[in-house]
Amino acid sequence: MKEILLVEDDTSIATVVTAALDEEGFAVTHCTSIECRDAKLASQSFAVMLTDVMLEDGDGIETLAPVRERYPEMPVIILSAQNTLDTAVRATDTGAFEYFPKPFDLDELVRAVIQAAGSRSDQMPDISEAGDGLPLVGRSQAMQGVYRMITRVLRNDLTVLILGESGTGKELVAEAIHQLGHRKSGPFVAVNAAAIPADLIESELFGHEKGAFTGAIAQSIGKFEQANGGTLFLDEIGDMPIEAQTRLLRALQSGRIRRVGGRQEIDIDVRIVAATNRDLKPMIASGRFREDLFYRLAVVPVELPPLRERRDDIEALAKHFLKLATLEGLPQRQISSGALEMLEQQPWPGNVRELRNMMYRLILLARDDVIDRDGVVEVVGANTAPANETDDEGIAPALRKWLTRENPPSGTIYHSAQAAFERPLFEWALRETGGNQLKASRILGINRNTLRKRLVDLSIDPETFAQNS
């Protein structure tokens, strides 16, 4: 029986993880502090260690270096509620086998432990330097997959395709991959395929020789050569003309380019990160985008969520933009909770970019040091509901009726509404699955341990639905 050391000061999480690992035949030793961790490691050997970051007596990541030195063969899995890109990178810096932001999928964690216990070499790459100032902001569950994918490509040169709506921050992800990866000492060169005329894009990418075409009065070095040793970011790749796609594919396959009008093959050493806000599959079907180029670019796809799917991040983003604005010469402002609530209700079709522009406008127009609810209403208008929520049927009318009927006290509205919404939703999912929590969590698209916790909080007994199924 393999021994697992679990360093976790949250009793409920420790109980759930221990039970799940027990079912897989592991013997789990649990402790809640760094001091206890070190004592246990000194007294016995473990196949795997799982550790939280914020423990009773310190930071679980900061104190891992001596552990890694003394027990280099022991895989470490890091759990954290500090769900930022910085934390993900710090976890990677330790050489951790895997990193799981809370709340995590229990089944996925168990699989990682099984893999770690059976392999001592398949570890995450380490990062030589990481710190504050990382370009991405947000701790929502929707961003955790993005952070984890970023950490997986930092020590390799796999081609990355970033997918997401306009304004979601695709270039920031590309910059993070470059700045945190092993090519950070090289150049980061960005080119927007949609902003370059079709007849000039090949020259822009590959360069040209003097006299190659009318107006080519001198030799020009293209973006590929400019990015040599670093990263080339190809934004809006879906707008690239089909002829240029062919030359791009050839360059990616061969690792060499030829300037327009030139005869010499030039070796290139470039990491490619591409991005698009288009759905490329219909473009492939219609012949507007090469299928072989798509698969060459999408070795590692990273999908950025729209802002409407990460509303939990709006407060952090708004306050981040308040700080940025002062660096750009705008007045220093604060924002009230009422104003934040108004911002969280917006549909944000322009995503994070639209929120940034909105914050700058609010800062500029604010009459006081604090941006309040009225200030937001003045700029965005009182009607914040999306157009499709003004129909007679839908969630918005039901919510208004519930608020009128229940009239929850001020300060409790959010949690009361959340519970009122979750109860019928969870009961429906359990009814559909005969009380099977794993299937219900999959239908809902949430982690199983998250569902379990909420069922306990709401006093919903899954067995009731199993009996009635």
Side-chain angles (χ1 to χ4, degrees):
M1 181 179 291
K2 293 187 176 181
E3 300 279 345
I4 306 295
L5 179 59
L6 173 61
V7 189
E8 171 62 69
D9 59 2
D10 187 316
T11 305
S12 60
I13 292 178
T15 301
V16 171
V17 172
T18 299
L21 294 178
D22 282 343
E23 290 179 4
E24 297 296 330
F26 292 106
V28 181
T29 298
H30 174 227
C31 56
T32 61
S33 66
I34 295 168
E35 181 181 5
C36 175
R37 176 200 71 186
D38 294 343
K40 295 293 184 183
L41 288 171
S43 62
Q44 65 183 106
S45 62
F46 295 93
V48 183
M49 182 176 79
L50 288 74
T51 179
D52 192 10
V53 176
M54 303 308 295
L55 297 165
E56 293 176 351
D57 53 353
D59 188 312
I61 291 181
E62 286 185 359
T63 58
L64 265 185
V67 173
R68 301 293 293 153
E69 290 176 6
R70 294 191 193 103
Y71 316 100
E73 297 300 314
M74 180 183 66
V76 176
I77 294 176
I78 294 176
L79 317 173
S80 175
Q82 307 297 312
N83 299 337
T84 64
L85 176 57
D86 179 56
T87 305
V89 173
R90 288 176 62 219
T92 309
D93 186 29
T94 67
F97 183 87
E98 188 51 283
Y99 162 73
F100 285 93
K102 298 177 181 178
F104 46 78
D105 185 286
L106 188 60
D107 294 330
E108 189 177 350
L109 176 64
V110 170
R111 284 195 296 269
V113 173
I114 293 172
Q115 292 169 2
S119 171
R120 292 176 179 263
S121 60
D122 183 23
Q123 294 182 335
M124 293 172 68
D126 65 326
I127 300 300
S128 59
E129 182 179 346
D132 296 331
L134 300 178
L136 294 167
V137 175
R139 300 188 179 190
S140 66
Q141 191 66 25
M143 289 299 292
Q144 297 313 304
V146 175
Y147 295 160
R148 293 182 68 195
M149 289 301 293
I150 289 174
T151 63
R152 280 179 162 84
V153 300
L154 297 183
R155 281 305 186 207
N156 56 63
D157 282 331
L158 296 176
T159 305
V160 178
L161 178 62
I162 307 169
L163 306 168
E165 296 177 7
S166 179
T168 50
K170 295 186 289 294
E171 185 165 356
L172 295 181
V173 172
E175 289 177 358
I177 291 171
H178 175 76
Q179 292 172 8
L180 300 171
H182 67 109
R183 287 180 173 266
K184 61 186 174 184
S185 59
F188 177 82
V189 177
V191 56
N192 189 324
I196 303 172
D199 56 344
L200 295 179
I201 192 165
E202 291 188 35
S203 173
E204 187 75 14
L205 289 175
F206 307 111
H208 62 256
E209 298 292 350
K210 180 179 179 180
F213 50 83
T214 303
I217 59 176
Q219 183 189 73
S220 174
I221 303 300
K223 300 298 185 182
F224 266 93
E225 289 183 80
Q226 293 174 29
N228 212 39
T231 302
L232 177 61
F233 175 52
L234 301 174
D235 199 6
E236 305 301 350
I237 193 73
D239 292 283
M240 180 175 286
I242 196 73
E243 298 81 5
Q245 292 178 32
T246 302
R247 286 201 62 179
L248 174 61
L249 177 63
R250 190 180 304 123
L252 297 180
Q253 290 175 334
S254 67
R256 296 187 298 274
I257 64 166
R258 182 182 296 174
R259 299 188 190 116
V260 176
R263 298 181 178 181
Q264 180 184 0
E265 293 275 329
I266 302 169
D267 291 331
I268 52 171
D269 175 24
V270 174
R271 201 253 177 85
I272 300 295
V273 179
T276 182
N277 61 5
R278 291 173 174 260
D279 184 352
L280 296 181
K281 294 295 179 66
M283 296 181 65
I284 292 171
S286 65
R288 290 177 294 152
F289 198 87
R290 292 188 60 129
E291 185 175 22
D292 46 5
L293 177 59
F294 171 78
Y295 289 115
R296 184 62 181 79
L297 291 172
V299 177
V300 182
V302 177
E303 190 159 357
L304 270 177
L307 187 56
R308 62 183 174 274
E309 293 180 8
R310 46 180 297 218
R311 295 184 186 274
D312 291 349
D313 290 335
I314 288 178
E315 178 177 355
L317 286 164
K319 292 180 178 179
H320 173 70
F321 293 137
L322 288 176
K323 293 178 182 178
L324 285 184
T326 61
L327 299 177
E328 298 184 23
L330 290 174
Q332 185 172 357
R333 306 287 193 208
Q334 294 179 311
I335 188 166
S336 71
S337 59
L340 287 169
E341 289 176 5
M342 289 290 291
L343 293 177
E344 290 169 355
Q345 295 171 19
Q346 300 302 307
W348 299 117
N351 295 294
V352 178
R353 183 186 297 121
E354 182 185 1
L355 175 61
R356 178 188 183 277
N357 294 340
M358 176 67 70
M359 289 304 303
Y360 278 41
R361 193 180 315 145
L362 290 169
I363 292 167
L364 187 65
L365 298 178
R367 300 182 182 89
D368 302 312
D369 291 338
V370 178
I371 299 170
D372 58 16
R373 185 185 183 91
D374 291 340
V376 176
V377 170
E378 186 176 329
V379 173
V380 305
N383 183 15
T384 62
N388 62 0
E389 289 188 4
T390 60
D391 300 333
D392 291 337
E393 297 181 358
I395 291 177
L399 175 61
R400 287 194 292 270
K401 291 178 182 177
W402 179 84
L403 288 169
T404 302
R405 183 179 68 252
E406 300 295 332
N407 191 25
S410 177
T412 69
I413 294 175
Y414 173 78
H415 294 291
S416 299
Q418 182 183 37
F421 173 78
E422 285 181 329
R423 177 176 293 280
L425 181 64
F426 290 162
E427 290 177 345
W428 169 85
L430 290 169
R431 194 176 299 112
E432 289 289 309
T433 59
N436 187 309
Q437 295 180 55
L438 178 58
K439 292 181 179 179
S441 66
R442 287 174 178 169
I443 289 176
L444 295 168
I446 61 176
N447 296 330
R448 186 173 69 174
N449 56 315
T450 300
L451 176 62
R452 283 175 174 168
K453 182 178 184 303
R454 293 303 295 149
L455 293 179
V456 172
D457 293 342
L458 296 169
S459 300
I460 299 175
D461 183 5
E463 295 298 322
T464 304
F465 300 90
Q467 294 168 1
N468 294 336
S469 61

